[in-house]
């Protein structure tokens, strides 16, 4: 067999193998579907979302030092005593509510400001990551 015939034979074998390996109807995704899948499944974006949740919690935690603290308690008692053959029953109920407020704590306000800036940075990072994923998906699609 000549070299040209061997090349044609090899090309036919490759074509047959390629056709037999490919499914009869491959699913074709639209660009919008690809972007949606990328935004849903990307772990970097999930980490950026979690960073934003953590930054938001840090801001809320900072405000906890400024807001008033309220505590309440209650006690009930029921006593029965026998004095000289007479049953004496006594009942009691006491309660308390405590409210405390820090008037000025400069470090708390500095902490809140820092946490707010951290939250803004996390929001911007999340948006940058989202845009980068969309861009990379479009680039890979085309």
């Amino acid at each position: 067999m000549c070299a040209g015939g061997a090349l044609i034979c090899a090309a036919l074998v490759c074509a047959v193998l390629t056709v037999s390996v490919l499914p009869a109807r491959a699913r074709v995704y639209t660009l919008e579907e690809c972007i949606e899948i990328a935004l849903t499944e990307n772990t970097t974006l999930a980490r950026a979302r979690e960073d934003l949740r953590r930054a938001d919690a840090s801001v809320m935690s900072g405000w906890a030092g400024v807001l008033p603290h309220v505590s309440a308690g209650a006690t009930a008692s029921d006593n029965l005593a026998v004095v000289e053959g007479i049953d004496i029953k006594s009942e009691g109920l006491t309660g308390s509510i405590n409210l405390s407020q820090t008037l000025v704590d400069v470090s708390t306000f500095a902490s809140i400001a820092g946490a707010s800036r951290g939250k803004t940075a996390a929001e911007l990072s999340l948006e940058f990551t989202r845009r980068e994923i969309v861009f990379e998906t479009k680039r890979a699609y085309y």
Side-chain angles (χ1 to χ4, degrees), residues 56-95:
D56 192 38
S58 180
V59 170
M60 293 178 73
S61 176
W63 279 106
V66 176
L67 299 174
H69 299 278
V70 178
S71 61
T75 305
S77 63
D78 188 13
N79 296 319
L80 178 62
V82 178
V83 178
E84 297 178 8
I86 301 172
D87 292 342
I88 300 175
K89 184 175 183 180
S90 65
E91 296 176 349
L93 180 62
T94 59

Side-chain angles (χ1 to χ4, degrees), residues 1-90:
M1 189 188 291
C2 67
L7 186 60
I8 292 173
C9 184
L12 284 174
V13 168
C14 287
V16 169
L17 288 176
T18 303
V19 170
S20 65
V21 170
L22 290 177
R25 294 216 149 209
R27 172 98 187 336
V28 178
Y29 291 95
T30 66
L31 177 60
E32 290 77 22
E33 289 173 322
C34 291
I35 290 171
E36 183 180 336
I37 291 169
L39 291 175
T40 303
E41 301 296 326
N42 190 284
T43 57
T44 304
L45 190 60
R47 270 194 308 271
R49 285 187 191 114
E50 188 56 37
D51 288 344
L52 179 57
R53 282 189 209 102
R54 223 180 347 264
D56 192 38
S58 180
V59 170
M60 293 178 73
S61 176
W63 279 106
V66 176
L67 299 174
H69 299 278
V70 178
S71 61
T75 305
S77 63
D78 188 13
N79 296 319
L80 178 62
V82 178
V83 178
E84 297 178 8
I86 301 172
D87 292 342
I88 300 175
K89 184 175 183 180
S90 65

